[in-house]
Amino acid sequence: MLSAFLRFAQLVDYHVDSRSFNSSFPAVRQNMSQTQMAIEESVARPLTSFSEDEQMFRESVREFAEGEIRKRVEEMDEQAHLDEAVTKQCFELGLMGIETPEEFGGAGGTFFQAILAVEELSRVDASVGVLVDVQNTLVNNALIRWGSPDQKKKYLAQLASEKIGAYALSEAASGSDAFAMQTRAVESGDHFVINGRKLWITNGKEAEIFVLFANANPEAGYRGITAFIVEKSFEGFTVGKKENKLGIRASSTTELILEDCKVPKENVLGEVGKGYKTSIETLNEGRIGIGAQMIGIARGALECALRYTAERQQFGKSINQFQGLQFQLAEMATDLEAARLMVYNAARMKDAGQNFVKEAAMAKLYSSRAAERIASKAIEMYGGYGYVKDYPVEKYWRDSKIGAIYEGTSNMQLQTIAKLIIGK
């Protein structure tokens, strides 16, 4: 069972030969705690190698994706709907609360483990990958970091066991300019009254718990933006239009409508007026999740291309024996490996408590471009077959396109990177 591998110890054996360290610094080594030893040993560990626990976890997620998701991918894409059996299994296997502490029913794992899960799921179906991604890297993370003890006890437990979450920031006039939001929250007794509309909300149809942003003090500009925990059942809250999309079709993307929606004051997430900090910092983590989704898509497309080019015969031999095609496959594999290293590095930095903002922006920017390039090239290698829905590569390309758009467009990532490297 996958759930058996989701309760991870915080210290792992990195399988590094420590004999030279022991002989050089015996006194220091003797006094080091287990935590210090693990940190010291991790220095020599390649980014693309895994601890035993991480490897078992990765293999278990892959087994689930291959055994339960792959057979449903085509139908879910055509119907633009996630199979409820898949979402139920995601909960049963602990994938909806990977970082959530065990006291709240979660797996108590690491951010990197969540990234591995998103990658493996997206290799088969990016729609399931983004379901798990949003739940973990945005919704759960926001509650873990800014939730009160009562909020954590109430909502994290539900999100780990049965309820899907969504992250509601974007609006018609507030996309890249997140601080231009028009949704308003007015204090009224023991609650806030929220009015406005949100657009492009992933998981919007299935979600029952929303981390939603509204401005409680428009005169203060972005300093009035406040995060709220909104339940689908709250008075005045409605899920609106479901978008008919190019890619990740099984993942719902909806409009949210708030008309005098009453939200109890105890559902303010963090502090009133500090929602801008919550949104920015949560999205920084979310971008690594999107990077994982993109490398999963790229891996799936490349694996399809490798299989097909080995099987397809032209002029008496497999087409992967032609040098021109070999060079293209090599470029695709190199692109994927570079993206993987960037995503893994950003995730490891996050777990290590280091500043990862630049690395997250770079990882999302590069991986989204790499996924689109690799999937597009895979279509060409399939020839006419690549252009029809009977074969899988056209879906990988459709799914890859969103990577340059959501959780910060590519231009916004470039702006973030530029500001950080020039110091402004």
Side-chain angles (χ1 to χ4, degrees):
M1 288 295 293
L2 174 59
S3 56
F5 299 121
L6 287 171
R7 272 56 181 170
F8 295 98
Q10 293 303 309
L11 297 177
V12 295
D13 179 8
Y14 290 132
H15 308 295
V16 176
D17 187 348
S18 60
R19 286 174 292 180
S20 60
F21 186 92
N22 282 326
S23 60
S24 302
F25 304 99
V28 176
R29 189 67 172 182
Q30 186 176 3
N31 293 326
M32 286 177 68
S33 67
Q34 283 189 320
T35 302
Q36 290 171 316
M37 289 167 62
I39 293 171
E40 190 66 39
E41 291 173 353
S42 72
V43 172
R45 179 178 173 210
L47 282 171
T48 53
S49 69
F50 308 110
S51 69
E52 184 177 353
D53 284 336
E54 288 169 345
Q55 184 62 33
M56 287 193 297
F57 171 70
R58 182 178 184 237
E59 290 173 356
S60 298
V61 178
R62 182 177 297 185
E63 181 180 349
F64 165 58
E66 289 288 353
E68 298 298 330
I69 298 175
R70 191 174 290 282
K71 62 188 177 183
R72 296 178 167 95
V73 171
E74 184 177 354
E75 182 179 358
M76 291 194 299
D77 185 65
E78 289 290 337
Q79 298 296 322
H81 178 71
L82 283 172
D83 191 319
E84 291 181 6
V86 171
T87 57
K88 182 180 179 182
Q89 286 176 301
C90 285
F91 280 109
E92 291 174 347
L93 300 175
L95 292 174
M96 302 300 270
I98 296 171
E99 284 188 271
T100 299
E102 293 184 34
E103 64 182 296
F104 304 120
T110 65
F111 184 78
F112 186 74
Q113 289 157 5
I115 292 308
L116 287 179
V118 174
E119 178 189 354
E120 288 300 326
L121 294 170
S122 299
R123 172 181 163 270
V124 173
D125 189 359
S127 291
V128 182
V130 78
L131 167 76
V132 172
D133 178 30
V134 169
Q135 185 91 353
N136 284 280
T137 70
L138 294 183
V139 180
N140 291 346
N141 253 325
L143 283 160
I144 290 169
R145 292 190 62 184
W146 287 283
S148 68
D150 287 343
Q151 289 172 344
K152 291 179 181 179
K153 183 178 180 181
K154 179 178 181 180
Y155 290 110
L156 284 176
Q158 294 180 46
L159 289 162
S161 62
E162 59 179 342
K163 293 188 177 180
I164 294 172
Y167 191 83
L169 178 64
S170 297
E171 298 178 8
S174 177
S176 294
D177 183 6
F179 297 149
M181 70 174 57
Q182 298 299 306
T183 300
R184 298 289 183 253
V186 177
E187 189 174 354
S188 178
D190 61 353
H191 61 272
F192 282 86
V193 177
I194 302 180
N195 283 280
R197 294 195 174 204
K198 296 292 181 179
L199 291 181
W200 317 116
I201 308 306
T202 302
N203 296 348
K205 180 180 178 182
E206 299 85 7
E208 295 183 67
I209 298 170
F210 298 78
V211 174
L212 184 143
F213 296 84
N215 200 319
N217 184 9
E219 291 76 20
Y222 73 89
R223 291 185 176 86
I225 294 174
T226 303
F228 297 88
I229 306 169
V230 178
E231 297 181 31
K232 189 174 185 177
S233 60
F234 282 178
E235 179 185 346
F237 181 88
T238 307
V239 176
K241 176 188 175 185
K242 178 176 176 288
E243 303 295 343
N244 186 11
K245 307 192 301 290
L246 169 74
I248 55 168
R249 289 177 50 79
S251 167
S252 68
T253 301
T254 70
E255 174 189 33
L256 304 180
I257 303 167
L258 299 101
E259 296 179 329
D260 292 333
C261 179
K262 295 182 178 180
V263 180
K265 283 186 176 179
E266 59 262 30
N267 277 41
V268 170
L269 181 60
E271 300 178 37
V272 173
K274 295 295 180 66
Y276 71 97
K277 178 180 175 67
T278 301
S279 65
I280 289 174
E281 295 190 11
T282 305
L283 285 173
N284 286 335
E285 298 173 4
R287 284 166 187 152
I288 307 174
I290 298 304
Q293 182 189 26
M294 292 298 112
I295 61 176
I297 291 170
R299 276 183 54 211
L302 177 58
E303 288 169 5
C304 285
L306 288 169
R307 285 194 300 270
Y308 182 78
T309 56
E311 296 167 358
R312 173 72 167 170
Q313 297 278 323
Q314 289 286 276
F315 305 104
K317 58 182 177 181
S318 298
I319 61 174
N320 68 0
Q321 297 305 302
F322 293 98
Q323 189 180 66
L325 197 138
Q326 289 176 346
F327 284 0
Q328 293 178 62
L329 289 169
E331 292 279 6
M332 293 160 70
T334 302
D335 234 6
L336 171 57
E337 188 67 7
R340 239 182 121 206
L341 288 168
M342 296 178 79
V343 172
Y344 284 10
N345 182 57
R348 295 286 193 196
M349 289 178 70
K350 193 273 181 186
D351 275 335
Q354 299 176 9
N355 188 319
F356 60 89
V357 175
K358 173 170 64 70
E359 287 74 14
M362 287 179 169
K364 181 184 182 295
L365 173 72
Y366 190 85
S367 63
S368 62
R369 290 176 171 177
E372 191 172 344
R373 285 193 297 265
I374 291 168
S376 178
K377 187 59 66 178
I379 289 174
E380 294 175 23
M381 290 179 177
Y382 270 69
Y385 293 121
Y387 204 67
V388 298
K389 291 182 180 292
D390 293 337
Y391 291 81
V393 288
E394 62 85 29
K395 180 180 183 298
Y396 283 117
W397 182 84
R398 288 189 288 110
D399 288 348
S400 74
K401 191 60 192 175
I402 190 61
I405 300 171
Y406 64 0
E407 292 194 36
T409 64
S410 291
N411 280 340
M412 292 304 295
Q413 305 314 310
L414 289 167
Q415 184 180 63
T416 296
I417 296 163
K419 286 181 177 179
L420 290 169
I421 64 175
I422 66 178
K424 293 184 180 180

